[in-house]
Amino acid sequence: MPVEFLGIAATNNGSETTPRSGAAFDKEYTLRLARAHEDHDWDRVLFAYGSGSPDPAPAAAHIASRLDRLQILLAHRPNVSYPTYAAKTFATLDQISEGRLTVHFITGGNDREQGREGDTLTKDERYSRTREYIRIVKKIWTTREPFDHEGEHYRFHDFVSDVFPVQQPRPNVSFGGSSPAAYEAGGAEADIYCLWGEPLAKTAEQIEQVKAAAKAAGRTDVPRIQVAFRPIIAPTEELAWEKAHRTVGAIKARKERGEAITKRHNGHNQPQAATPQNVGSQRLIAIAEAGERYDRALWTPTAAATGGAGNSNALVGTPETVAQALLDYYDLGVDILSARGYDLLGDAIDFGRHVIPIVREEVAKRDAERAARGPQTLTAVNG
């Protein structure tokens, strides 16, 4: 199966290790970073969402109108707009990008962050709302006749959009989470299910839970799986580990200085919290407490230093080591690999130059070998 790479479409140069040098929305840097991804063989970039952050939709339109190939993953939280409005926004952006849009729907795992924009629902209520929201958006994208909706969270009458996506029948829907409610909602509605980087055994367990949820929802297919990491690479293993320890030192130094650190992760920006409410962050903390190193290259102190904030587990080593680690996840059934460094621009270029070609070449070899062995092997691998 093909492999795809997802990077970050940051609107400024700040990271956990370095404060930003300019405004929250630096349109020249945003374009420069996106172009670096396009020029170095990345498939798409994520425009994240945060309560006080620049609006990702116009930022994505800014990039889409200037680049030719790079695809867009747009994060969206249902609490910020009515689904009729959102569906039109997404369709318009798919038109601007000429069919390069995927939408990542965020339920929200932090009550305080949700409350900043007036969202007072409980977590279970938020999952119910997200499922209804996604279903409405899908219907608006694919329905040419006016229709009514009477649901638990939304009611409207005689609505039909006059703008439709380029992609047919519709753009893909992305979703993430590590709780039973997340598996249930994403298993039912997602085309792509997003996970944060965990040890191989735990990732395999999560994939099985997503598959089971999809089956329970009556689906005959299963979502594609995406897993996210923070690669730390260098020409030698020794240099890579020195870089890794410097990275954690820089994160801790910023915390000690009392600087506000905001994490960009799978879908949203969220200020660091001492005790995270979302299950995904709780899992990352538990994994870090149980050990620093797992499998071929997974390293947890970056997650521990940020309180399990989002995509924060690292893969450390030479480009060859990190590529082989990513291929271990590919062999589990992961076909979208999300990666973001701490020097956003420089690391995107280095990863594109030195890691992506290795992974693509090895995936092509694996696929050719499986094809040569026949359809029964392909079914076993993909099923």
Side-chain angles (χ1 to χ4, degrees), residues 238-256:
E238 182 181 9
L239 290 173
W241 285 104
E242 289 177 1
K243 183 178 178 181
H245 288 289
R246 286 198 308 271
T247 298
V248 169
I251 295 171
K252 291 179 177 178
R254 288 199 67 194
K255 289 176 64 177
E256 290 169 0

Side-chain angles (χ1 to χ4, degrees), residues 139 143-148 157-161:
K139 187 170 183 178
T143 301
R144 264 57 177 179
E145 298 295 330
F147 68 96
D148 300 338
H157 304 282
D158 198 37
F159 181 83
V160 64
S161 178

Side-chain angles (χ1 to χ4, degrees), residues 68-128:
D68 298 323
R69 301 182 307 278
L70 194 66
Q71 298 174 54
I72 293 164
L73 178 59
L74 179 72
H76 180 76
R77 290 204 308 222
N79 62 292
V80 300
S81 70
Y82 219 69
T84 49
Y85 176 86
K88 294 185 297 181
T89 299
F90 304 146
T92 303
L93 184 52
D94 200 52
Q95 291 282 344
I96 292 170
S97 67
E98 298 181 330
R100 287 178 280 151
L101 176 69
T102 297
V103 182
H104 181 74
F105 290 93
I106 309 164
T107 297
N110 183 290
D111 292 342
R112 184 179 179 187
E113 167 68 3
Q114 296 298 123
R116 288 189 171 104
E117 293 187 285
D119 188 6
T120 59
L121 296 186
T122 66
K123 190 173 182 180
D124 286 345
E125 289 170 336
R126 291 199 296 267
Y127 274 111
S128 171

Side-chain angles (χ1 to χ4, degrees), residues 16-230:
E16 295 92 331
T17 61
T18 310
R20 73 183 191 227
S21 61
F25 180 52
D26 179 339
K27 70 176 185 178
E28 297 305 322
Y29 180 84
T30 302
L31 179 58
R32 186 181 176 195
L33 179 61
R35 182 169 284 128
H37 282 85
E38 181 169 271
D39 290 345
H40 292 87
D41 203 27
W42 295 76
D43 295 283
R44 62 171 59 87
V45 288
L46 165 68
F47 282 85
Y49 188 91
S51 59
S53 301
D55 188 343
H62 169 63
I63 296 306
S65 64
R66 287 162 176 79
L67 300 181
D68 298 323
R69 301 182 307 278
L70 194 66
Q71 298 174 54
I72 293 164
L73 178 59
L74 179 72
H76 180 76
R77 290 204 308 222
N79 62 292
V80 300
S81 70
Y82 219 69
T84 49
Y85 176 86
K88 294 185 297 181
T89 299
F90 304 146
T92 303
L93 184 52
D94 200 52
Q95 291 282 344
I96 292 170
S97 67
E98 298 181 330
R100 287 178 280 151
L101 176 69
T102 297
V103 182
H104 181 74
F105 290 93
I106 309 164
T107 297
N110 183 290
D111 292 342
R112 184 179 179 187
E113 167 68 3
Q114 296 298 123
R116 288 189 171 104
E117 293 187 285
D119 188 6
T120 59
L121 296 186
T122 66
K123 190 173 182 180
D124 286 345
E125 289 170 336
R126 291 199 296 267
Y127 274 111
S128 171
R129 176 182 62 192
T130 300
R131 291 185 68 170
E132 184 178 343
Y133 196 99
I134 292 173
R135 289 169 180 167
I136 292 169
V137 168
K138 287 178 178 178
K139 187 170 183 178
I140 291 171
W141 281 341
T142 56
T143 301
R144 264 57 177 179
E145 298 295 330
F147 68 96
D148 300 338
H149 179 82
E150 293 282 346
E152 179 181 0
H153 301 279
Y154 302 103
R155 295 174 179 82
F156 55 85
H157 304 282
D158 198 37
F159 181 83
V160 64
S161 178
D162 195 32
V163 57
F164 293 93
V166 170
Q167 298 176 78
Q168 294 298 315
R170 58 172 177 78
N172 281 332
V173 165
S174 171
F175 188 89
S178 297
S179 67
Y183 296 138
E184 181 180 355
E189 300 297 337
D191 302 296
I192 299 168
Y193 200 98
C194 306
L195 302 170
W196 290 332
E198 295 187 4
L200 289 164
K202 291 186 176 294
T203 300
E205 292 171 0
Q206 287 189 293
I207 292 172
E208 290 307 310
Q209 288 176 292
V210 173
K211 289 180 178 179
K215 184 177 180 180
R219 293 177 61 169
T220 56
D221 63 336
V222 295
R224 298 173 65 195
I225 302 296
Q226 172 185 304
V227 178
F229 302 97
R230 307 299 295 272

Side-chain angles (χ1 to χ4, degrees), residues 42 94 140 232 243 256 268 281 303 315 319 335 338 346 358 373-374:
W42 295 76
D94 200 52
I140 291 171
I232 300 174
K243 183 178 178 181
E256 290 169 0
H268 57 296
S281 291
L315 293 175
D335 66 341
S338 174
I358 298 174
R373 290 196 296 267

